[in-house]
Amino acid sequence: MNIKVAIQGIKGSFHEEAAYKYFGDQIETVECESFKKMCELLKQGKVDYIVMAIENSIAGSLLPNYNLLRDYRFPIVGEVYLHIKLHLMALPDVTLQDIKFVESHPIALQQCNDYLEENPQFKVTEAEDTAASARKVSELQLKDTAAIAPQLAAKLYGLEIVERRIETNKKNYTRFLILTSKPEERGKVNKASLSFQTGNGVGSLSTVLQCFAEQNINLSKIQSMPVLGKRNEYDFYVDVEWKDQADYDAAIRRVLKHTSNFNIMGEYMKNEKV
């Protein structure tokens, strides 16, 4: 029985690509129109895992997803970095000269802005999803329209890539979190996602960060989010990495003394960018 993994968007999207990269291709992906829908399916036990984008090297953090992490409190059991490569694709035998319309997700269009400016003959249209644009071109047999989408979408919907790697920034990565409904027994781990609050006193956050530094713990990310309904109070979300488990354990003991609502959201193996 295949593992069921919920993805945001449709088959052929970057979320599906990330799911295959983490789990391999022997999984069943379940399409969801929103990140909240993914969380609901996991809560209801209809899927085993969800793959959730959390930050992009160009666009930054996906702040609404931090709210979902807070609200659902699913354990984080892994992460995957995906190199975002965008291609112009169309029906077989369609040439660049045949293309009058180009459509894709607004962020994908933004990430291909230089290419689109170099080709002002295209009329550009925003769509809900990169892969959905590819599927539309395929299903409606649009010979004058191209989609900007990942290579997986071209393969899935029978399109041919007319122009490869049209994204402006070639070092564009998205980080995805792997979430499940129940904590799993983990082997070796070297990264954790934590959340906590600190007091409002001068240097209160600095004191916490100093605890990590003095135990040789690398702070790879910090994100603050306002506490709902409370003025000047914030939840801090941090990702930490370590080489020595004892250093991490000692840092956690120290940090607990200087924080409130401390939560280990997940401990897992760091995934290197590829």
Side-chain angles (χ1 to χ4, degrees), residues 10 91 131-142 157-159:
I10 69 167
L91 291 170
S133 301
R135 183 175 66 180
K136 177 182 172 182
V137 170
S138 176
E139 288 182 349
L140 300 182
Q141 290 291 292
L142 302 175
Y157 300 115
L159 302 182

Side-chain angles (χ1 to χ4, degrees), residues 189-200:
V189 294
N190 60 8
K191 187 170 183 177
S193 295
L194 315 171
S195 67
F196 54 82
Q197 295 169 18
T198 66
N200 286 328

Side-chain angles (χ1 to χ4, degrees), residues 167-232:
E167 71 276 6
T168 301
N169 190 318
K170 306 301 181 190
K171 294 182 178 179
N172 182 8
Y173 293 87
T174 295
R175 177 181 174 230
F176 299 81
L177 298 178
I178 312 300
L179 310 175
T180 191
S181 56
K182 296 185 180 72
E184 295 182 341
E185 283 295 320
R186 310 300 293 169
K188 181 175 169 55
V189 294
N190 60 8
K191 187 170 183 177
S193 295
L194 315 171
S195 67
F196 54 82
Q197 295 169 18
T198 66
N200 286 328
V202 174
S204 56
L205 177 60
S206 176
T207 300
V208 174
L209 301 185
Q210 192 67 22
C211 293
F212 290 123
E214 290 174 357
Q215 297 294 155
N216 300 311
I217 305 300
N218 179 42
L219 188 73
S220 59
K221 182 177 175 64
I222 182 167
Q223 181 71 52
S224 64
M225 295 285 288
V227 176
L228 290 177
K230 294 187 178 180
R231 188 174 171 220
N232 296 329

Side-chain angles (χ1 to χ4, degrees), residues 13 52 64 72 75 81 86 111 130-131 134 148 152 195-196 215 222 233 240-242 257:
S13 66
M52 177 187 285
Y72 285 90
Y81 281 90
L86 291 162
Q111 291 173 349
T130 52
I148 295 175
L152 182 61
S195 67
F196 54 82
Q215 297 294 155
I222 182 167
E233 291 190 29
V240 296
E241 303 167 3
W242 63 90
K257 299 173 184 176

Side-chain angles (χ1 to χ4, degrees), residues 26-43:
Q26 299 301 308
I27 59 172
E28 179 185 342
T29 53
V30 179
E31 300 175 342
C32 298
E33 69 271 15
S34 68
F35 290 108
K36 185 173 178 61
K37 176 69 173 177
M38 290 196 311
C39 292
E40 282 298 313
L41 288 184
L42 183 57
K43 182 180 177 181

